[in-house]
C-alpha cells in the first residue's frame, strides 16, 4: 500500500489539473503495485526551500512495503519518478528531492487493524 506525497511551492494554478491521478498511475507502474492500492497527496503553494533556494521546487516522499528498501531499487524508482516530475511540473532535476521510506506491514493501519492482519 504505497503512499506518495508531493509537496511543492508552485502555486495551485501552476500544478497541472489531474496531477494526482497521473501520479497515482505512475507510482503504481514504477513500484509494481496495483493502482487501487496507491495513496497520493499533492500539496501545492507551500513555503519551501531546496538547496538553500526558494525558487520553484518539489519534494516527493514515497513510502511502501517491500519495494523501496534498497539503493538499487530506489535508483531505478528515482530515475522514473524524476522523469515524471520534471515533465509534469516543468522543474529541473536540481529542484526536486525524493525521499524513500520502507515500511513494515505493522506500520500501516487499515480497516480497524494493521496490514499485518489483513
Amino acid at each position: 500500500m504505497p503512499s506518495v506525497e508531493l509537496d511543492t511551492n508552485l502555486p495551485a494554478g501552476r500544478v497541472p489539473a489531474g496531477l494526482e491521478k497521473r501520479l497515482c498511475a505512475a507510482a503504481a507502474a514504477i513500484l509494481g503495485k496495483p493502482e487501487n492500492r496507491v495513496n497520493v497527496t499533492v500539496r501545492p503553494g507551500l513555503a519551501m526551500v531546496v538547496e538553500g533556494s526558494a525558487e520553484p521546487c518539489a519534494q516527493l516522499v514515497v513510502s511502501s512495503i517491500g519495494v523501496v528498501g534498497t539503493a538499487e531499487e530506489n535508483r531505478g524508482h528515482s530515475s522514473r519518478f524524476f522523469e515524471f516530475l520534471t515533465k509534469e511540473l516543468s522543474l529541473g532535476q536540481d529542484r526536486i528531492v525524493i525521499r524513500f521510506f520502507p515500511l513494515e506491514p505493522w506500520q500501516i493501519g487499515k480497516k480497524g487493524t494493521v496490514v499485518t492482519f489483513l
Side-chain angles (χ1 to χ4, degrees):
M1 176 167 292
S3 290
V4 179
E5 301 173 48
L6 177 63
D7 293 337
T8 182
N9 61 359
L10 292 172
R14 274 206 48 207
V15 174
L19 176 63
E20 66 282 355
K21 290 293 289 176
R22 290 189 303 281
L23 180 53
C24 183
I30 291 166
L31 300 174
K33 299 282 187 170
E35 194 171 336
N36 67 349
R37 300 294 301 255
V38 177
N39 302 301
V40 172
T41 303
V42 176
R43 290 182 287 264
L46 299 175
M48 291 180 62
V49 171
V50 166
E51 296 183 352
S53 169
E55 291 296 313
C57 61
Q59 178 175 256
L60 187 73
V61 177
V62 180
S63 306
S64 187
I65 298 169
V67 294
V68 296
T70 70
E72 291 76 20
E73 288 173 324
N74 292 342
R75 178 172 44 187
H77 301 331
S78 183
S79 174
R80 294 177 69 191
F81 276 119
F82 269 101
E83 181 180 336
F84 175 85
L85 292 172
T86 55
K87 177 182 172 190
E88 287 282 342
L89 299 177
S90 298
L91 294 174
Q93 288 191 0
D94 62 327
R95 302 304 304 149
I96 300 170
V97 175
I98 302 174
R99 295 186 298 147
F100 295 98
F101 290 97
L103 296 174
E104 296 295 328
W106 55 266
Q107 293 176 301
I108 300 172
K110 186 167 172 78
K111 298 181 180 180
T113 186
V114 292
V115 173
T116 302
F117 301 108
L118 293 178

